[in-house]
Amino acid sequence: MTMTLEYPALLQLIDERSAAFRSAVAAAPGLDAPVPSCPEWTLFDLVQHLGTGQRWWAAIVAAGPAEAPPAKEAAEVPREAEALLAWYTESNELLLNTLREAGPDRACWTWWGSGVSPANAWGVARRRVHEVLVHTYDAQLAAGTVQPMPADVATDGVAEFLDTCNSTPAAWPHEPATVHYHATEGRSWLLTLDGTGAWPAPLTDDAAPASASATGTAEQLLLFVWGRLTLSDLRIEGDRRVFERLIAWEPEE
């Protein structure tokens, strides 16, 4: 894992991306607008999901080290647009204030505890940056106002997804494979899949040849790993089945 962003920068990005999210929601024709990238969700569902997530992760960080997360509280979520956005703002501030108080090294429960990303407030903050980043894209898509992502944030988003979602000691159930991701902005990553699990790392000159590789902008790669784009949206070389199997894989540890 490469810690590309310091803790204060992560908190600032949560704040900035949340402001962009609120702007996209406000620009939409209504809260019942469908979200094309989240089938069967309306914009209301998207705001509820993200705000509830901010509150839950605030409770997780506040609880500190634990074997299990606190229960999700059933919150009353307002359905009027202005009140809903105020509720989301409150949810986001609750998370930010909790992260500020905790500091980056406070340990806490995470669902990625056996992977590369650290199970602490820094890891939570980094994950929430990219949760908000991608859901801002979703909201902008619903509003018809999609804007380019900041390239440096999207680049870290690819690395974060690999560190968090594609790192596990669960054995890869297929023949060993090596995946390369290439961002046209100049960053590349390696993902090794074998009997020891799935392990990401920066791509070096002496890395093993790729079984399959994907090339696109950092934003395209980020949207691909998050399921917003498909293989047809990237330049794919090698065995496409590796990507298909990786997308379908649900490891059990």
Side-chain angles (χ1 to χ4, degrees):
M1 181 196 63
T2 302
M3 291 190 179
T4 57
L5 294 171
E6 297 293 334
Y7 195 63
L10 291 172
L11 303 191
Q12 182 177 347
L13 283 170
I14 292 174
D15 198 27
E16 291 176 356
R17 292 298 92 201
S18 288
F21 176 77
R22 293 192 300 269
S23 294
V25 174
L31 294 176
D32 59 348
V35 182
S37 47
C38 300
E40 300 184 5
W41 275 18
T42 65
L43 200 54
F44 171 82
D45 297 324
L46 183 65
V47 179
Q48 181 182 44
H49 165 77
L50 190 55
T52 300
Q54 302 298 66
R55 291 171 181 260
W56 189 51
W57 282 101
I60 290 169
V61 172
E67 293 296 321
K72 291 185 178 180
E73 295 185 6
E76 286 290 331
V77 182
R79 288 189 167 269
E80 189 274 326
E82 186 175 346
L84 179 65
L85 287 175
W87 172 84
Y88 175 76
T89 299
E90 181 183 82
S91 304
N92 198 60
E93 284 302 315
L94 177 62
L95 174 64
L96 286 171
N97 289 337
T98 303
L99 290 169
R100 290 187 189 103
E101 181 181 346
D105 298 325
R106 177 184 289 181
C108 61
W109 174 89
T110 65
W111 52 259
W112 59 82
S114 60
V116 172
S117 285
N120 60 17
W122 186 91
V124 170
R126 191 182 187 209
R127 169 107 289 241
R128 297 315 292 175
V129 165
H130 300 298
E131 186 87 15
V132 179
L133 178 69
V134 173
H135 286 321
T136 296
Y137 165 84
D138 295 331
Q140 290 175 345
L141 196 62
T145 59
V146 176
Q147 300 174 8
M149 294 177 180
D152 57 338
V153 184
T155 298
D156 185 71
V158 178
E160 191 278 336
F161 188 93
L162 296 176
D163 288 345
T164 304
C165 301
N166 282 161
S167 65
T168 174
W172 172 246
H174 308 286
E175 62 269 20
T178 302
V179 177
H180 293 179
Y181 294 91
H182 302 288
T184 56
E185 291 87 349
R187 289 283 302 277
S188 296
W189 300 269
L190 161 73
L191 181 66
T192 301
L193 302 162
D194 59 24
T196 70
W199 303 111
L203 185 62
T204 59
D205 292 339
D206 59 350
S211 306
S213 69
T215 301
T217 66
E219 178 174 339
Q220 288 173 322
L221 291 173
L222 177 64
L223 293 174
F224 168 68
V225 296
W226 276 78
R228 270 60 176 176
L229 296 182
T230 68
L231 289 168
S232 62
D233 296 303
L234 303 172
R235 190 176 85 235
I236 304 298
E237 297 178 338
D239 189 351
R240 294 171 68 95
R241 292 176 302 169
V242 175
F243 284 112
E244 293 166 354
R245 290 168 175 171
L246 181 59
I247 292 167
W249 188 32
E250 296 182 358
E252 295 183 5
E253 298 177 12

